[in-house]
């Protein structure tokens, strides 16, 4: 979308305010269907950092996710609407399969979402 969907921004703002991390959402981005639960960015970053810390090869990247980028250090930024959705327990739907099966962590630019719906898209291995 050339202009982010205001309703989707409002949902992301509500999640960011810490009111809930239980909002299930399905989005379409560049033809890919991503389904999962939204999380506040800080919680998402911490979970990604945890996963990276547990990796012998990728552990050195964990600090990137626990430190906010410099442009976000401006106190005025806290009042700006979110620009990204942060999914956890998320899957990319490929045919009748969800990838990865256990769910992953995805960050999606709201302006790139071309369609969305509330809830998870269920898939079948049958």
């Amino acid at each position: 979308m050339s202009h982010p969907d205001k309703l989707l921004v409002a949902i992301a703002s509500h999640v960011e305010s810490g009111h809930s991390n239980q909002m299930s959402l399905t989005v379409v981005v560049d033809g890919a269907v991503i389904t999962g639960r939204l999380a506040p960015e800080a919680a998402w970053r911490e979970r990604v950092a945890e996963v990276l810390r547990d990796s012998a090869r990728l552990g050195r990247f964990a600090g990137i996710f626990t430190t906010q980028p410099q442009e976000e250090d401006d106190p005025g930024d806290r009042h700006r609407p979110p620009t990204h959705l942060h999914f956890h327990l998320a899957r990319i739907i490929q045919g009748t399969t969800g990838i990865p099966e256990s769910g992953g962590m995805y960050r999606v630019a709201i302006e790139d979402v071309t369609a969305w719906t509330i809830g998870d898209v269920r898939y079948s291995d049958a």
Side-chain angles (χ1 to χ4, degrees), residues 81-113:
T83 58
H84 291 77
L85 301 170
H86 295 87
F87 285 92
H88 67 116
L89 303 174
R91 293 171 192 84
I92 296 174
I93 303 299
Q94 178 71 32
T96 58
T97 315
I99 305 167
E101 283 185 26
S102 60
M105 308 290 286
Y106 295 99
R107 176 176 160 113
V108 175
I110 294 173
E111 68 182 16
D112 292 339
V113 174

Side-chain angles (χ1 to χ4, degrees), residues 53-94:
R53 274 193 294 271
D54 290 343
S55 170
R57 291 182 299 132
L58 302 174
R60 65 180 160 231
F61 291 98
I64 295 169
F65 290 88
T66 57
T67 306
Q68 293 290 324
Q70 283 186 326
E71 62 269 13
E72 293 180 9
D73 288 343
D74 178 1
D77 283 350
R78 284 184 232 137
H79 303 291
R80 291 189 184 153
T83 58
H84 291 77
L85 301 170
H86 295 87
F87 285 92
H88 67 116
L89 303 174
R91 293 171 192 84
I92 296 174
I93 303 299
Q94 178 71 32

